[in-house]
Amino acid sequence: MRTLLAALALATLPMPSPALAQASDFTLVNGTGQALGNLSIRRTGSEEWRPLGAAPTVGASSAIAFNDPDCAFDIRASGANGSALTWSGVNLCEVSAVTLRLAAGTPYVEYR
């Protein structure tokens, strides 16, 4: 009986709920080796681009104030020659910094 009462007491204790992941403020680093312009963001799979702010200069970083319940985003900027560069499927949950990179003209990101 005592074991049953102890089990019932434990079952009624509030259980911590897991934190819901969501995108929040992060640092954006321009590791592309070139000047970027017209920085914008959209949820991956959507069509609506939103301005993200000024792109950091080459090698520099910018604090980005951001809050969204989703995690996966596409980041777009215009490159040095005016072409559009898109970093697809960028995970903005539980990261403190995102470095935009280019390898042979192909965009990719590094996380911190």
Side-chain angles (χ1 to χ4, degrees):
M1 180 72 164
R2 193 179 264 182
T3 305
L4 178 60
L5 289 175
L8 288 173
L10 284 174
T12 61
L13 290 175
M15 299 300 289
S17 61
L20 298 176
Q22 71 176 34
S24 59
D25 298 350
F26 63 98
T27 300
L28 186 69
V29 181
N30 181 352
T32 64
Q34 63 179 268
L36 298 175
N38 302 323
L39 202 56
S40 58
I41 192 166
R42 71 177 178 191
R43 288 181 178 156
T44 297
S46 72
E47 297 298 320
E48 180 185 348
W49 288 97
R50 299 178 286 173
L52 192 57
T57 59
V58 177
S61 63
S62 293
I64 304 293
F66 192 74
N67 191 0
D68 194 285
D70 285 338
C71 291
F73 294 87
D74 301 333
I75 298 174
R76 180 175 67 185
S78 56
N81 63 359
S83 64
L85 298 168
T86 303
W87 291 263
S88 298
V90 178
N91 182 352
L92 295 180
C93 288
E94 301 178 14
V95 299
S96 59
V98 174
T99 302
L100 303 179
R101 300 265 189 208
L102 291 173
T106 302
Y108 71 98
V109 296
E110 292 177 350
Y111 301 101
R112 225 179 345 135

